[in-house]
Amino acid sequence: DTAVSQTPKYLVTQMGNDKSIKCEQNLGHDTMYWYKQDSKKFLKIMFSYNNKELIINETVPNRFSPKSPDKAHLNLHINSLELGDSAVYFCASSQYRGDTEAFFGQGTRLTVV
Amino acid sequence: EDQVTQSPEALRLQEGESSSLNCSYTVSGLRGLFWYRQDPGKGPEFLFTLYSAGEEKEKERLKATLTKKESFLHITAPKPEDSATYLCAVSMAGGTSYGKLTFGQGTILTVHP
């Protein structure tokens, strides 16, 4: 039973399209995150939600909009996709904000063509 | 500016050849330092959390240590299955950074049989 699951695992789409990535955690954690890993494997935080409340919103284009319908789910919607959005996006969760280890999903490889 | 720097960028070892990976950090108020392992095509997998200088944690062939400026991940008698990218991350206390993990760029470890 996967702790943090993301769908889809691969996403290939054309420039200008809108797409969503879904994430679910069954660990009962309070905090969820979206991270972006670029081609150089550098992992950088994008957003964090704690009990459905947005608590971290890094410098990310407005085209990226997270949504947390409940504590166990955090989705990422991306409008008007650009070539530079191509990356691997990871969802993660932790029991508390930054105090405990984060558990990561398997990632969604987004390719914009 | 908060920074996390890992060295070396890549490390090649022979099976059984012990070595260390370094993670140096400059943050205002460290809450915790985390080590993760990432295999190709997968999400980071949690290894250790260190909270205060002088703390040490061990797991099989891995041992993590922490000082006020850096952390080391010591690998004793590595095996080929230890080959992976090792990521260091810090969590800061308070302010706008509270709750987020800032990652280093990782060290790619390759262990040859």
Side-chain angles (χ1 to χ4, degrees):
Chain A
D1 199 18
T2 306
V4 181
S5 60
Q6 295 177 230
T7 54
K9 187 169 183 180
Y10 299 98
L11 187 53
V12 181
T13 188
Q14 290 188 326
M15 282 176 56
N17 284 351
D18 302 338
K19 290 292 178 185
S20 292
I21 306 172
K22 295 186 176 182
C23 178
E24 176 182 4
Q25 55 98 359
N26 62 6
L27 299 167
H29 288 168
D30 287 346
T31 309
M32 295 186 73
Y33 312 82
W34 278 112
Y35 283 85
K36 179 180 180 180
Q37 190 168 46
D38 60 25
S39 56
K40 295 184 178 180
K41 307 297 184 187
F42 188 62
L43 203 61
K44 188 170 183 181
I45 192 166
M46 300 173 69
F47 303 103
S48 177
Y49 272 76
N50 188 64
N51 277 323
K52 299 195 300 176
E53 179 189 353
L54 181 66
I55 56 172
I56 293 173
N57 186 351
E58 292 292 281
T59 308
V60 176
N62 290 336
R63 299 181 294 102
F64 290 79
S65 55
K67 281 191 173 57
S68 182
D70 55 57
K71 205 171 76 165
H73 295 84
L74 179 62
N75 303 322
L76 182 66
H77 188 75
I78 315 170
N79 289 325
S80 303
L81 279 155
E82 301 178 356
L83 292 176
D85 297 332
S86 297
V88 182
Y89 293 84
F90 286 100
C91 176
S93 73
S94 65
Q95 189 168 10
Y96 306 116
R97 291 172 58 176
D99 284 359
T100 55
E101 61 269 25
F103 291 80
F104 285 78
Q106 81 279 17
T108 296
R109 181 174 292 279
L110 172 65
T111 304
V112 182
V113 297
Chain B
E1 183 182 329
D2 300 326
Q3 274 195 317
V4 180
T5 305
Q6 292 186 245
S7 61
E9 287 189 16
L11 181 61
R12 293 176 181 269
L13 298 174
Q14 288 296 127
E15 186 171 0
E17 180 187 1
S18 301
S19 188
S20 295
L21 281 55
N22 177 265
C23 171
S24 62
Y25 60 92
T26 52
V27 299
S28 49
L30 178 72
R31 197 164 184 92
L33 186 140
F34 303 82
W35 282 99
Y36 287 84
R37 169 191 171 128
Q38 186 174 22
D39 292 302
K42 296 191 176 181
E45 177 187 346
F46 170 75
L47 292 174
F48 304 107
T49 310
L50 301 166
Y51 292 106
S52 56
E55 190 174 358
E56 298 182 354
K57 294 270 180 77
E58 280 189 74
K59 180 180 178 180
E60 296 180 354
R61 296 177 292 282
L62 300 177
K63 179 180 176 181
T65 62
L66 181 66
T67 72
K68 288 187 177 180
K69 293 183 178 181
E70 58 191 350
S71 176
F72 291 94
L73 184 64
H74 307 277
I75 304 176
T76 303
K79 298 182 177 181
E81 53 262 42
D82 294 323
S83 298
T85 297
Y86 290 85
L87 299 167
C88 169
V90 297
S91 173
M92 279 75 80
T96 57
S97 297
Y98 179 48
K100 78 174 187 181
L101 289 177
T102 298
F103 280 85
Q105 78 277 25
T107 294
I108 303 171
L109 174 66
T110 306
V111 182
H112 296 284

